[in-house]
Amino acid sequence: MDRDLGQKRAVQYLYPPVDPFDQRMLDVGDGHTIYVEQCGNPRGRPVIVLHGGPGGGCSPAMRRYFDPKVYRVILFDQRGCGRSRPHASVEHNTTWHLVDDIERIRAELGLGPSIVFGGSWGATLALIYAISHPEAVTHLVLRGVFLMTQAELDWFYGGGAGMFWPETWARFTDLVPEDERDDFIAAYHRRLFSGDMRIETKFARAWSSWENALASVHSSGQGGEAPGDYARAFARLENHYFTHRGFLDQDGWILKHTDRIADIPGVIVQGRYDMICPPVRAWNLAQAWPAGDLRMIRNAGHALSEPGVSAELVRAMDEIAQ
């Protein structure tokens, strides 16, 4: 690692900006159409990029972790967010719908076995997809591991992370009446799905701000105020998925099924001071999945934009290319 890494911005480790050579809206049924794009080498090694959230959407920066001469990079906005429609919809929107959507994308684009690259919720979805379709995955590259367990939800929405950021946690919790503070996911759910756009947007911004405030190791604790449309989709989808525990039929589902990915090599890039997805989960995953190479990044938090995290992800993709 560069000894001056901490003084550099993440963008300095990325490939130059690249425009898509293909953009389309794909009808996946159930009233949903999803935005899909491709960039890089049309005849290159396919890599499917899974964004976080759920509800975060993909961004142009996500194209830049891959050598455009080597990789055919496929990005898409998952159901209900980004450029996919209907916006902020949770109807017919579950983990298993998203797994099926990835299969539809592979069929639509004629993709063979592919690298799957995802961070945070994107890492969750990547693991669930690989467990469900191991024959379709050549490598997994994961960042900021989230295993969709009750313990992780309790950490972030039950006061664990709030013990480190009490003033930021107070802004998140003070909006909820005291008699509802035993379950903040449920309390926010009632308001995010109230049918009153003003209330939904107010609580969506608070939900999004709590997460954004803790993303970087250099955070001041201020999460900013996201645009209302973005915050509403992000918060509603996250809350919907977390209310239903990721639509998995048992707690710890991913770790219980890692035998399905035993032969798939991968890299796990984890910020040592990730306050959103504590590093113990990445370590648990590496213990259960020996083919996963765990790389702890010092002086880094959760965000994809952390310089050390970005540098290591680019390094991992370059190693696979070789």
Side-chain angles (χ1 to χ4, degrees):
M1 297 292 287
D2 190 322
R3 65 182 177 86
D4 297 320
L5 193 61
Q7 306 303 316
K8 295 186 178 181
R9 297 170 58 239
V11 69
Q12 294 177 263
Y13 298 97
L14 306 184
Y15 282 94
V18 60
D19 292 325
F21 63 79
D22 172 52
Q23 295 173 289
R24 64 183 79 185
M25 297 296 293
L26 178 62
D27 186 344
V28 292
D30 306 315
H32 285 271
T33 57
I34 60 173
Y35 170 81
V36 183
E37 69 173 43
Q38 301 185 77
C39 62
N41 181 352
R43 291 173 296 280
R45 296 182 65 176
V47 53
I48 300 170
V49 180
L50 303 179
H51 66 68
C58 58
S59 71
M62 294 179 185
R63 306 167 186 160
R64 300 180 58 187
Y65 288 80
F66 318 96
D67 185 340
K69 296 178 182 178
V70 173
Y71 289 113
R72 176 184 178 185
V73 183
I74 298 93
L75 300 93
F76 71 100
D77 290 332
Q78 296 160 27
R79 293 188 183 205
C81 68
R83 287 150 287 189
S84 296
R85 293 293 180 268
H87 187 70
S89 172
V90 300
E91 296 295 322
H92 305 290
N93 195 337
T94 72
T95 305
W96 305 109
H97 286 105
L98 301 186
V99 167
D100 289 345
D101 290 349
I102 298 169
E103 283 294 274
R104 286 176 182 263
I105 291 169
R106 288 185 62 240
E108 173 81 6
L109 302 182
L111 301 178
S114 305
I115 301 163
V116 182
F117 178 105
S120 195
W121 162 255
T124 319
L125 183 57
L127 286 162
I128 294 169
Y129 176 74
I131 288 167
S132 303
H133 297 281
E135 75 288 344
V137 180
T138 64
H139 294 77
L140 286 168
V141 179
L142 311 175
R143 184 267 311 170
V145 168
F146 174 54
L147 298 180
M148 194 62 253
T149 64
Q150 186 63 49
E152 290 164 295
L153 296 177
D154 290 345
W155 161 261
F156 201 64
Y157 297 105
M163 294 178 70
F164 290 84
W165 294 92
E167 72 282 22
T168 310
W169 177 242
R171 289 198 296 272
F172 178 76
T173 60
D174 284 353
L175 292 178
V176 175
E178 288 190 13
D179 62 354
E180 295 184 59
R181 293 181 186 177
D182 60 326
D183 188 339
F184 284 102
I185 292 176
Y188 267 78
H189 184 86
R190 286 187 279 273
R191 289 148 180 92
L192 291 170
F193 294 91
S194 67
D196 183 322
M197 186 65 73
R198 182 185 62 82
I199 291 174
E200 289 185 6
T201 302
K202 173 184 176 180
F203 279 83
R205 282 179 163 148
W207 178 281
S208 303
S209 180
W210 164 238
E211 183 165 332
N212 290 340
L214 272 62
S216 172
V217 73
H218 299 294
S219 174
S220 66
Q222 300 297 321
E225 187 168 276
D229 283 349
Y230 172 86
R232 183 168 172 270
F234 180 83
R236 280 167 58 95
L237 266 66
E238 271 202 348
N239 185 280
H240 167 68
Y241 273 73
F242 297 165
T243 294
H244 293 280
R245 305 303 185 260
F247 300 92
L248 303 175
D249 61 15
Q250 58 181 316
D251 196 36
W253 187 93
I254 291 173
L255 291 182
K256 288 181 172 69
H257 290 84
T258 49
D259 60 303
R260 298 271 295 166
I261 60 171
D263 296 328
I264 300 175
V267 176
I268 307 164
V269 177
Q270 181 71 37
R272 173 67 73 183
Y273 300 105
D274 188 334
M275 295 296 296
I276 297 173
C277 297
V280 67
R281 298 306 166 196
W283 186 83
N284 293 153
L285 176 62
Q287 296 302 299
W289 175 41
D293 175 15
L294 175 58
R295 304 180 185 183
M296 287 283 192
I297 310 302
R298 64 182 183 89
N299 299 333
H302 183 71
L304 178 62
S305 59
E306 299 278 35
V309 170
S310 284
E312 197 58 48
L313 287 170
V314 171
R315 191 193 318 276
M317 293 308 303
D318 288 347
E319 289 170 357
I320 293 172
Q322 294 169 7

PDB file of all heavy atoms in Angstrom, residues 200-228:
ATOM      1  N   GLU A 200     -43.339  11.245   4.791  1.00  0.00           N
ATOM      2  CA  GLU A 200     -42.442  10.237   4.233  1.00  0.00           C
ATOM      3  C   GLU A 200     -41.080  10.841   3.903  1.00  0.00           C
ATOM      4  O   GLU A 200     -40.026  10.256   4.202  1.00  0.00           O
ATOM      5  CB  GLU A 200     -43.060   9.605   2.993  1.00  0.00           C
ATOM      6  CG  GLU A 200     -44.239   8.692   3.304  1.00  0.00           C
ATOM      7  CD  GLU A 200     -44.769   7.972   2.074  1.00  0.00           C
ATOM      8  OE1 GLU A 200     -44.156   8.092   0.988  1.00  0.00           O
ATOM      9  OE2 GLU A 200     -45.804   7.278   2.203  1.00  0.00           O
ATOM     10  N   THR A 201     -41.077  12.019   3.297  1.00  0.00           N
ATOM     11  CA  THR A 201     -39.822  12.665   2.913  1.00  0.00           C
ATOM     12  C   THR A 201     -39.031  13.112   4.136  1.00  0.00           C
ATOM     13  O   THR A 201     -37.807  12.956   4.193  1.00  0.00           O
ATOM     14  CB  THR A 201     -40.099  13.860   1.988  1.00  0.00           C
ATOM     15  OG1 THR A 201     -40.802  13.401   0.828  1.00  0.00           O
ATOM     16  CG2 THR A 201     -38.801  14.519   1.550  1.00  0.00           C
ATOM     17  N   LYS A 202     -39.713  13.650   5.138  1.00  0.00           N
ATOM     18  CA  LYS A 202     -39.033  14.085   6.369  1.00  0.00           C
ATOM     19  C   LYS A 202     -38.318  12.912   7.025  1.00  0.00           C
ATOM     20  O   LYS A 202     -37.121  13.008   7.378  1.00  0.00           O
ATOM     21  CB  LYS A 202     -40.059  14.674   7.332  1.00  0.00           C
ATOM     22  CG  LYS A 202     -39.483  15.010   8.710  1.00  0.00           C
ATOM     23  CD  LYS A 202     -40.577  15.511   9.649  1.00  0.00           C
ATOM     24  CE  LYS A 202     -40.031  15.763  11.053  1.00  0.00           C
ATOM     25  NZ  LYS A 202     -41.095  16.256  11.970  1.00  0.00           N
ATOM     26  N   PHE A 203     -38.981  11.787   7.171  1.00  0.00           N
ATOM     27  CA  PHE A 203     -38.378  10.635   7.846  1.00  0.00           C
ATOM     28  C   PHE A 203     -37.379   9.922   6.935  1.00  0.00           C
ATOM     29  O   PHE A 203     -36.409   9.333   7.424  1.00  0.00           O
ATOM     30  CB  PHE A 203     -39.470   9.696   8.366  1.00  0.00           C
ATOM     31  CG  PHE A 203     -40.052  10.159   9.667  1.00  0.00           C
ATOM     32  CD1 PHE A 203     -41.058  11.117   9.692  1.00  0.00           C
ATOM     33  CD2 PHE A 203     -39.557   9.688  10.866  1.00  0.00           C
ATOM     34  CE1 PHE A 203     -41.575  11.578  10.898  1.00  0.00           C
ATOM     35  CE2 PHE A 203     -40.060  10.144  12.078  1.00  0.00           C
ATOM     36  CZ  PHE A 203     -41.076  11.094  12.097  1.00  0.00           C
ATOM     37  N   ALA A 204     -37.590  10.002   5.635  1.00  0.00           N
ATOM     38  CA  ALA A 204     -36.620   9.428   4.700  1.00  0.00           C
ATOM     39  C   ALA A 204     -35.295  10.165   4.777  1.00  0.00           C
ATOM     40  O   ALA A 204     -34.221   9.549   4.766  1.00  0.00           O
ATOM     41  CB  ALA A 204     -37.167   9.480   3.278  1.00  0.00           C
ATOM     42  N   ARG A 205     -35.343  11.469   4.884  1.00  0.00           N
ATOM     43  CA  ARG A 205     -34.107  12.243   4.995  1.00  0.00           C
ATOM     44  C   ARG A 205     -33.394  11.947   6.306  1.00  0.00           C
ATOM     45  O   ARG A 205     -32.161  11.840   6.356  1.00  0.00           O
ATOM     46  CB  ARG A 205     -34.414  13.733   4.863  1.00  0.00           C
ATOM     47  CG  ARG A 205     -34.639  14.167   3.410  1.00  0.00           C
ATOM     48  CD  ARG A 205     -34.973  15.627   3.304  1.00  0.00           C
ATOM     49  NE  ARG A 205     -34.789  16.119   1.935  1.00  0.00           N
ATOM     50  CZ  ARG A 205     -35.517  17.075   1.388  1.00  0.00           C
ATOM     51  NH1 ARG A 205     -36.493  17.651   2.089  1.00  0.00           N
ATOM     52  NH2 ARG A 205     -35.286  17.470   0.153  1.00  0.00           N
ATOM     53  N   ALA A 206     -34.149  11.774   7.377  1.00  0.00           N
ATOM     54  CA  ALA A 206     -33.538  11.447   8.670  1.00  0.00           C
ATOM     55  C   ALA A 206     -32.901  10.055   8.631  1.00  0.00           C
ATOM     56  O   ALA A 206     -31.798   9.848   9.140  1.00  0.00           O
ATOM     57  CB  ALA A 206     -34.587  11.525   9.775  1.00  0.00           C
ATOM     58  N   TRP A 207     -33.589   9.099   8.032  1.00  0.00           N
ATOM     59  CA  TRP A 207     -33.070   7.730   7.895  1.00  0.00           C
ATOM     60  C   TRP A 207     -31.775   7.738   7.085  1.00  0.00           C
ATOM     61  O   TRP A 207     -30.768   7.147   7.488  1.00  0.00           O
ATOM     62  CB  TRP A 207     -34.124   6.865   7.227  1.00  0.00           C
ATOM     63  CG  TRP A 207     -33.729   5.444   6.966  1.00  0.00           C
ATOM     64  CD1 TRP A 207     -32.942   4.988   5.939  1.00  0.00           C
ATOM     65  CD2 TRP A 207     -34.108   4.287   7.719  1.00  0.00           C
ATOM     66  NE1 TRP A 207     -32.806   3.621   6.006  1.00  0.00           N
ATOM     67  CE2 TRP A 207     -33.512   3.160   7.087  1.00  0.00           C
ATOM     68  CE3 TRP A 207     -34.893   4.083   8.847  1.00  0.00           C
ATOM     69  CZ2 TRP A 207     -33.687   1.864   7.568  1.00  0.00           C
ATOM     70  CZ3 TRP A 207     -35.073   2.792   9.320  1.00  0.00           C
ATOM     71  CH2 TRP A 207     -34.464   1.703   8.684  1.00  0.00           C
ATOM     72  N   SER A 208     -31.799   8.427   5.956  1.00  0.00           N
ATOM     73  CA  SER A 208     -30.631   8.472   5.073  1.00  0.00           C
ATOM     74  C   SER A 208     -29.475   9.217   5.727  1.00  0.00           C
ATOM     75  O   SER A 208     -28.313   8.824   5.604  1.00  0.00           O
ATOM     76  CB  SER A 208     -30.996   9.152   3.749  1.00  0.00           C
ATOM     77  OG  SER A 208     -32.070   8.492   3.123  1.00  0.00           O
ATOM     78  N   SER A 209     -29.783  10.281   6.444  1.00  0.00           N
ATOM     79  CA  SER A 209     -28.748  11.079   7.087  1.00  0.00           C
ATOM     80  C   SER A 209     -28.014  10.286   8.159  1.00  0.00           C
ATOM     81  O   SER A 209     -26.782  10.402   8.296  1.00  0.00           O
ATOM     82  CB  SER A 209     -29.360  12.338   7.695  1.00  0.00           C
ATOM     83  OG  SER A 209     -28.377  13.128   8.315  1.00  0.00           O
ATOM     84  N   TRP A 210     -28.734   9.464   8.923  1.00  0.00           N
ATOM     85  CA  TRP A 210     -28.099   8.645   9.961  1.00  0.00           C
ATOM     86  C   TRP A 210     -27.052   7.735   9.341  1.00  0.00           C
ATOM     87  O   TRP A 210     -25.936   7.614   9.838  1.00  0.00           O
ATOM     88  CB  TRP A 210     -29.170   7.855  10.706  1.00  0.00           C
ATOM     89  CG  TRP A 210     -28.667   6.705  11.539  1.00  0.00           C
ATOM     90  CD1 TRP A 210     -29.026   5.394  11.411  1.00  0.00           C
ATOM     91  CD2 TRP A 210     -27.728   6.753  12.628  1.00  0.00           C
ATOM     92  NE1 TRP A 210     -28.368   4.618  12.350  1.00  0.00           N
ATOM     93  CE2 TRP A 210     -27.569   5.437  13.109  1.00  0.00           C
ATOM     94  CE3 TRP A 210     -27.006   7.787  13.243  1.00  0.00           C
ATOM     95  CZ2 TRP A 210     -26.718   5.111  14.166  1.00  0.00           C
ATOM     96  CZ3 TRP A 210     -26.159   7.465  14.300  1.00  0.00           C
ATOM     97  CH2 TRP A 210     -26.019   6.157  14.756  1.00  0.00           C
ATOM     98  N   GLU A 211     -27.384   7.099   8.227  1.00  0.00           N
ATOM     99  CA  GLU A 211     -26.429   6.206   7.589  1.00  0.00           C
ATOM    100  C   GLU A 211     -25.275   6.985   6.950  1.00  0.00           C
ATOM    101  O   GLU A 211     -24.106   6.624   7.119  1.00  0.00           O
ATOM    102  CB  GLU A 211     -27.130   5.340   6.544  1.00  0.00           C
ATOM    103  CG  GLU A 211     -26.199   4.331   5.898  1.00  0.00           C
ATOM    104  CD  GLU A 211     -26.945   3.239   5.146  1.00  0.00           C
ATOM    105  OE1 GLU A 211     -28.088   2.926   5.516  1.00  0.00           O
ATOM    106  OE2 GLU A 211     -26.362   2.700   4.194  1.00  0.00           O
ATOM    107  N   ASN A 212     -25.603   8.032   6.223  1.00  0.00           N
ATOM    108  CA  ASN A 212     -24.550   8.795   5.539  1.00  0.00           C
ATOM    109  C   ASN A 212     -23.559   9.400   6.522  1.00  0.00           C
ATOM    110  O   ASN A 212     -22.364   9.506   6.235  1.00  0.00           O
ATOM    111  CB  ASN A 212     -25.172   9.911   4.687  1.00  0.00           C
ATOM    112  CG  ASN A 212     -25.920   9.377   3.481  1.00  0.00           C
ATOM    113  OD1 ASN A 212     -25.694   8.250   3.051  1.00  0.00           O
ATOM    114  ND2 ASN A 212     -26.830  10.177   2.942  1.00  0.00           N
ATOM    115  N   ALA A 213     -24.045   9.780   7.696  1.00  0.00           N
ATOM    116  CA  ALA A 213     -23.181  10.431   8.681  1.00  0.00           C
ATOM    117  C   ALA A 213     -22.081   9.511   9.174  1.00  0.00           C
ATOM    118  O   ALA A 213     -21.015   9.969   9.597  1.00  0.00           O
ATOM    119  CB  ALA A 213     -24.008  10.930   9.855  1.00  0.00           C
ATOM    120  N   LEU A 214     -22.306   8.208   9.129  1.00  0.00           N
ATOM    121  CA  LEU A 214     -21.341   7.262   9.685  1.00  0.00           C
ATOM    122  C   LEU A 214     -20.521   6.550   8.617  1.00  0.00           C
ATOM    123  O   LEU A 214     -19.737   5.654   8.930  1.00  0.00           O
ATOM    124  CB  LEU A 214     -22.063   6.216  10.557  1.00  0.00           C
ATOM    125  CG  LEU A 214     -22.252   6.608  12.027  1.00  0.00           C
ATOM    126  CD1 LEU A 214     -23.111   7.849  12.170  1.00  0.00           C
ATOM    127  CD2 LEU A 214     -22.865   5.453  12.809  1.00  0.00           C
ATOM    128  N   ALA A 215     -20.681   6.928   7.349  1.00  0.00           N
ATOM    129  CA  ALA A 215     -20.058   6.167   6.265  1.00  0.00           C
ATOM    130  C   ALA A 215     -18.541   6.306   6.224  1.00  0.00           C
ATOM    131  O   ALA A 215     -17.831   5.348   5.951  1.00  0.00           O
ATOM    132  CB  ALA A 215     -20.658   6.579   4.921  1.00  0.00           C
ATOM    133  N   SER A 216     -18.039   7.493   6.498  1.00  0.00           N
ATOM    134  CA  SER A 216     -16.598   7.738   6.356  1.00  0.00           C
ATOM    135  C   SER A 216     -15.903   7.767   7.711  1.00  0.00           C
ATOM    136  O   SER A 216     -16.456   8.252   8.701  1.00  0.00           O
ATOM    137  CB  SER A 216     -16.349   9.067   5.642  1.00  0.00           C
ATOM    138  OG  SER A 216     -14.971   9.394   5.674  1.00  0.00           O
ATOM    139  N   VAL A 217     -14.678   7.290   7.729  1.00  0.00           N
ATOM    140  CA  VAL A 217     -13.881   7.335   8.951  1.00  0.00           C
ATOM    141  C   VAL A 217     -13.559   8.776   9.337  1.00  0.00           C
ATOM    142  O   VAL A 217     -13.254   9.076  10.494  1.00  0.00           O
ATOM    143  CB  VAL A 217     -12.588   6.504   8.785  1.00  0.00           C
ATOM    144  CG1 VAL A 217     -11.587   7.203   7.882  1.00  0.00           C
ATOM    145  CG2 VAL A 217     -11.978   6.154  10.144  1.00  0.00           C
ATOM    146  N   HIS A 218     -13.657   9.684   8.385  1.00  0.00           N
ATOM    147  CA  HIS A 218     -13.365  11.096   8.644  1.00  0.00           C
ATOM    148  C   HIS A 218     -14.632  11.913   8.887  1.00  0.00           C
ATOM    149  O   HIS A 218     -14.587  13.146   8.866  1.00  0.00           O
ATOM    150  CB  HIS A 218     -12.588  11.691   7.468  1.00  0.00           C
ATOM    151  CG  HIS A 218     -11.280  11.017   7.221  1.00  0.00           C
ATOM    152  ND1 HIS A 218     -10.223  11.069   8.117  1.00  0.00           N
ATOM    153  CD2 HIS A 218     -10.845  10.247   6.191  1.00  0.00           C
ATOM    154  CE1 HIS A 218      -9.207  10.374   7.644  1.00  0.00           C
ATOM    155  NE2 HIS A 218      -9.548   9.868   6.487  1.00  0.00           N
ATOM    156  N   SER A 219     -15.751  11.243   9.127  1.00  0.00           N
ATOM    157  CA  SER A 219     -17.030  11.931   9.288  1.00  0.00           C
ATOM    158  C   SER A 219     -17.024  12.886  10.477  1.00  0.00           C
ATOM    159  O   SER A 219     -16.409  12.618  11.504  1.00  0.00           O
ATOM    160  CB  SER A 219     -18.153  10.916   9.465  1.00  0.00           C
ATOM    161  OG  SER A 219     -19.372  11.567   9.753  1.00  0.00           O
ATOM    162  N   SER A 220     -17.764  13.975  10.324  1.00  0.00           N
ATOM    163  CA  SER A 220     -17.993  14.908  11.428  1.00  0.00           C
ATOM    164  C   SER A 220     -19.281  14.568  12.162  1.00  0.00           C
ATOM    165  O   SER A 220     -19.629  15.221  13.150  1.00  0.00           O
ATOM    166  CB  SER A 220     -18.088  16.337  10.878  1.00  0.00           C
ATOM    167  OG  SER A 220     -19.255  16.465  10.068  1.00  0.00           O
ATOM    168  N   GLY A 221     -20.006  13.567  11.650  1.00  0.00           N
ATOM    169  CA  GLY A 221     -21.290  13.210  12.244  1.00  0.00           C
ATOM    170  C   GLY A 221     -22.470  13.896  11.601  1.00  0.00           C
ATOM    171  O   GLY A 221     -23.614  13.678  11.992  1.00  0.00           O
ATOM    172  N   GLN A 222     -22.204  14.716  10.601  1.00  0.00           N
ATOM    173  CA  GLN A 222     -23.267  15.390   9.866  1.00  0.00           C
ATOM    174  C   GLN A 222     -23.536  14.627   8.568  1.00  0.00           C
ATOM    175  O   GLN A 222     -22.647  14.478   7.737  1.00  0.00           O
ATOM    176  CB  GLN A 222     -22.871  16.841   9.539  1.00  0.00           C
ATOM    177  CG  GLN A 222     -22.585  17.691  10.755  1.00  0.00           C
ATOM    178  CD  GLN A 222     -23.809  17.868  11.641  1.00  0.00           C
ATOM    179  OE1 GLN A 222     -24.925  18.018  11.157  1.00  0.00           O
ATOM    180  NE2 GLN A 222     -23.592  17.835  12.956  1.00  0.00           N
ATOM    181  N   GLY A 223     -24.751  14.129   8.404  1.00  0.00           N
ATOM    182  CA  GLY A 223     -25.066  13.318   7.229  1.00  0.00           C
ATOM    183  C   GLY A 223     -25.546  14.102   6.039  1.00  0.00           C
ATOM    184  O   GLY A 223     -25.730  13.540   4.962  1.00  0.00           O
ATOM    185  N   GLY A 224     -25.747  15.427   6.207  1.00  0.00           N
ATOM    186  CA  GLY A 224     -26.258  16.220   5.103  1.00  0.00           C
ATOM    187  C   GLY A 224     -27.729  15.916   4.860  1.00  0.00           C
ATOM    188  O   GLY A 224     -28.333  15.075   5.522  1.00  0.00           O
ATOM    189  N   GLU A 225     -28.292  16.604   3.896  1.00  0.00           N
ATOM    190  CA  GLU A 225     -29.700  16.407   3.560  1.00  0.00           C
ATOM    191  C   GLU A 225     -29.793  15.995   2.108  1.00  0.00           C
ATOM    192  O   GLU A 225     -29.561  16.789   1.197  1.00  0.00           O
ATOM    193  CB  GLU A 225     -30.519  17.675   3.813  1.00  0.00           C
ATOM    194  CG  GLU A 225     -32.018  17.454   3.639  1.00  0.00           C
ATOM    195  CD  GLU A 225     -32.845  18.607   4.171  1.00  0.00           C
ATOM    196  OE1 GLU A 225     -33.120  18.636   5.387  1.00  0.00           O
ATOM    197  OE2 GLU A 225     -33.217  19.479   3.356  1.00  0.00           O
ATOM    198  N   ALA A 226     -30.127  14.734   1.864  1.00  0.00           N
ATOM    199  CA  ALA A 226     -30.220  14.199   0.509  1.00  0.00           C
ATOM    200  C   ALA A 226     -31.449  14.764  -0.188  1.00  0.00           C
ATOM    201  O   ALA A 226     -32.439  15.129   0.463  1.00  0.00           O
ATOM    202  CB  ALA A 226     -30.293  12.682   0.558  1.00  0.00           C
ATOM    203  N   PRO A 227     -31.432  14.847  -1.525  1.00  0.00           N
ATOM    204  CA  PRO A 227     -32.642  15.246  -2.264  1.00  0.00           C
ATOM    205  C   PRO A 227     -33.805  14.343  -1.877  1.00  0.00           C
ATOM    206  O   PRO A 227     -33.639  13.138  -1.650  1.00  0.00           O
ATOM    207  CB  PRO A 227     -32.232  15.043  -3.728  1.00  0.00           C
ATOM    208  CG  PRO A 227     -30.741  15.155  -3.730  1.00  0.00           C
ATOM    209  CD  PRO A 227     -30.289  14.584  -2.417  1.00  0.00           C
ATOM    210  N   GLY A 228     -34.980  14.930  -1.794  1.00  0.00           N
ATOM    211  CA  GLY A 228     -36.140  14.212  -1.296  1.00  0.00           C
ATOM    212  C   GLY A 228     -36.459  12.932  -2.051  1.00  0.00           C
ATOM    213  O   GLY A 228     -36.751  11.897  -1.434  1.00  0.00           O
TER     214      GLY A 228
END
